[in-house]
């Protein structure tokens, strides 16, 4: 039998970890909400833990009558024992945000007794327990024909844990600090996105208005209503025959709609075409600064070309007239472009907007120098948002790595 130790440990701890049944380190909680001690209906969110149903479901699906529900107190854990998409892999979360709340009796509730509570919070983020609870649910179903995990099977799940409270506490504290850092970055990111939303509302004129609420100093002229086709060329795409290898794997980037939407700028496509493939299709070379615009299902995703490229026919891309339209200014109006595309697009199989329709779109624009100021402002904001998103992604990946290495897998 292999040593029951994780790959990474805090200094000074060398003993093997041990297997413990959940029933030996916790107590099941079955107290009912008889005297309406709480009317706060809870649900489990994988990201946010045990949360108020009213918030989570936006006041739409919250339970009304909570008599007879389980009464859950701060520090207790809950698990939804029903299968989710065929797997009993719902999250196990501790009640941290409120003193108490109520949960449907579909949940299993327990409190830790012989284990550090914070350690357990992190343990239930690992993949090991997923395998264990899945195995026990499957065995329970074979033995009893159950469609979900029975409480007895759930409390028979085996956990591999340090045999000293000190090591449990160190691991729990480490992951709490990491979770707090991740939560802080998430809040910063959410705040930046909210700020951007506010600027988008205030820095472009509202319907019927000729000037925005918020402007850079020195600009006072009215904005003008123009057609998108007067300020840019709208260019479709094409696909060379996929049965001819001479058309593919060349030096020309060729984008499909699925590649668009994650980044402001794109400079490398998944597939490429040859000069011959370009000639033998309706694909067109688009210059740097073109705003790619997806014109079919998933309509209205955009990105700016950082390197000239072509697209397939799922695009109506905007090639700005450099003397009339700033690329980032029009890119910042993605929401308006998307709404217009969705409203005007038509098709029996799927919604699609044509280049002709896109050319007719009315849009309020200021002089080019003001457009450039606005474009630069939103580029800086988008760059900051992208930076915070990368930091958050990195922290999340680091946590995943530590979960694999700091627990017995």
């Amino acid at each position: 039998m292999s040593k029951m130790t994780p790959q990474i440990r805090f200094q000074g701890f060398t003993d093997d970890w041990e297997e413990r049944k959940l029933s030996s380190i916790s107590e099941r909680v079955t107290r009912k909400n008889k005297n309406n001690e709480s009317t706060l209906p809870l649900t489990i969110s994988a990201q946010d833990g045990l949360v108020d149903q009213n918030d989570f479901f936006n006041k739409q699906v919250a339970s009304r009558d909570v008599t007879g529900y389980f009464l859950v107190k701060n520090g207790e854990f809950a698990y939804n024992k029903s299968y989710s998409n065929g797997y009993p892999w719902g999250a196990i979360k501790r009640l941290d945000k409120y003193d108490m709340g109520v949960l449907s009796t579909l949940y299993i509730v327990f409190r830790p007794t012989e284990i550090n509570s914070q350690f357990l919070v992190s343990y239930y983020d690992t993949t090991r327990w997923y395998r264990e609870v899945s195995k026990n649910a499957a065995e329970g179903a074979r033995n009893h024909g159950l469609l979900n995990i029975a409480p007895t099977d759930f409390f028979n799940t085996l956990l591999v844990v340090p045999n000293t409270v000190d090591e449990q506490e160190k691991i729990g504290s480490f992951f709490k600090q990491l979770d707090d850092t991740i939560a802080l970055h998430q809040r910063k990111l959410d705040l930046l996105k909210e700020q951007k939303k506010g600027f988008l509302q205030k820095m472009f004129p509202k319907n019927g208005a000729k000037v925005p609420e918020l402007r850079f100093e020195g600009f006072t002229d009215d904005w003008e209503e123009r057609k998108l086709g007067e300020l840019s060329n709208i260019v479709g795409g094409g696909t060379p025959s996929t049965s001819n290898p001479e058309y593919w794997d060349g030096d020309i980037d060729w984008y499909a709609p699925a590649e668009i939407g994650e980044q402001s700028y794109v400079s490398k496509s998944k597939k490429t075409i040859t000069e011959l493939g370009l000639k033998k299709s309706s694909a067109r070379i688009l210059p740097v600064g073109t705003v790619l615009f997806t014109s079919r299902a998933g309509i209205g995703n955009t990105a700016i070309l950082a390197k000239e490229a072509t697209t397939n026919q799922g695009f109506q891309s905007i090639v700005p007239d450099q003397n009339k339209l700033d690329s980032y200014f029009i890119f910042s109006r993605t929401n308006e472009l998307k709404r217009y595309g969705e409203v005007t697009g038509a098709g029996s199989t799927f919604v699609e907007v044509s280049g002709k329709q896109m050319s007719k779109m009315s849009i309020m624009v200021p002089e080019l120098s003001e457009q450039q100021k606005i474009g630069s402002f939103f580029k800086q904001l988008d760059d900051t948002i992208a930076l915070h998103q990368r930091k958050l992604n990195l922290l999340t990946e680091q946590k995943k790595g530590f979960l694999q290495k700091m627990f017995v897998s």
Side-chain angles (χ1 to χ4, degrees), residues 166-180:
D166 282 355
E167 189 172 7
Q168 293 171 22
E169 278 177 0
K170 274 201 179 289
I171 293 167
S173 297
F174 174 82
F175 280 100
K176 183 177 188 314
Q177 198 171 3
L178 195 51
D179 285 338
D180 288 347

Side-chain angles (χ1 to χ4, degrees), residues 54-158:
N54 290 291
D55 293 338
F56 192 72
F57 296 119
N58 200 20
K59 298 186 169 44
Q60 297 296 312
V61 201
S63 308
R64 296 285 174 256
D65 182 11
V66 292
T67 314
Y69 272 40
F70 285 148
L71 184 67
V72 188
K73 295 189 175 178
N74 190 278
E76 294 174 347
F77 287 73
Y79 175 65
N80 188 341
K81 62 182 177 171
S82 299
Y83 275 69
S84 169
N85 297 324
Y87 298 97
W89 287 5
I92 295 183
K93 295 293 178 182
R94 184 177 65 180
L95 182 59
D96 290 328
K97 295 185 178 179
Y98 322 101
D99 287 338
M100 65 173 72
V102 288
L103 271 174
S104 155
T105 50
L106 288 173
Y107 290 82
I108 295 173
V109 183
F110 62 94
R111 78 170 71 83
T113 53
E114 302 290 322
I115 187 104
N116 177 267
S117 184
Q118 195 61 51
F119 171 85
L120 208 53
V121 168
S122 306
Y123 189 92
Y124 282 125
D125 277 340
T126 68
T127 52
R128 183 190 177 91
W129 90 267
Y130 282 118
R131 295 198 304 273
E132 178 67 13
V133 80
S134 181
K135 177 170 73 77
N136 279 38
E139 284 173 6
R142 275 200 298 274
N143 296 336
H144 314 295
L146 297 170
L147 291 176
N148 56 35
I149 189 164
T152 47
D153 294 321
F154 178 75
F155 282 101
N156 278 334
T157 53
L158 288 170

